[in-house]
């Protein structure tokens, strides 16, 4: 897996790394990566859940964890 620490990686690069590590890229995974990649500050789990809920209402918080 490519290290992205200290760099600005595109969403697609991160998703490629997830796939390369054997992970599945689901719609919720893509949304979480997009939220994290777009942010310029630390997000708490509650912040991430709130942002996710704005984009995809009705998804359980456990989906994000």
């Amino acid at each position: 897996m490519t290290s992205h620490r200290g760099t600005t990686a595109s969403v697609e690069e991160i998703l490629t790394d997830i796939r390369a590590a054997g992970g599945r890229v689901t719609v919720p995974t893509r949304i979480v990566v997009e939220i994290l990649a777009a942010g310029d500050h630390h997000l708490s789990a509650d912040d991430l859940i709130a942002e996710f809920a704005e984009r995809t209402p009705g998804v359980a918080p456990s989906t994000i964890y």
Side-chain angles (χ1 to χ4, degrees):
M1 184 181 315
T2 306
S3 173
H4 296 292
R5 177 174 272 158
T7 66
T8 303
S10 75
V11 169
E12 290 307 317
E13 289 172 323
I14 294 168
L15 295 176
T16 297
D17 285 348
I18 292 170
R19 287 184 195 100
R24 289 185 12 193
V25 176
T26 61
V27 170
T29 301
R30 177 177 286 279
I31 293 170
V32 168
V33 169
E34 288 173 355
I35 292 168
L36 293 173
D40 60 352
H41 61 283
H42 175 78
L43 295 175
S44 69
D46 289 336
D47 295 335
L48 184 58
I49 290 167
E51 178 69 27
F52 192 98
E54 285 181 25
R55 294 180 185 210
T56 311
V59 175
S62 61
T63 300
I64 297 167
Y65 285 104

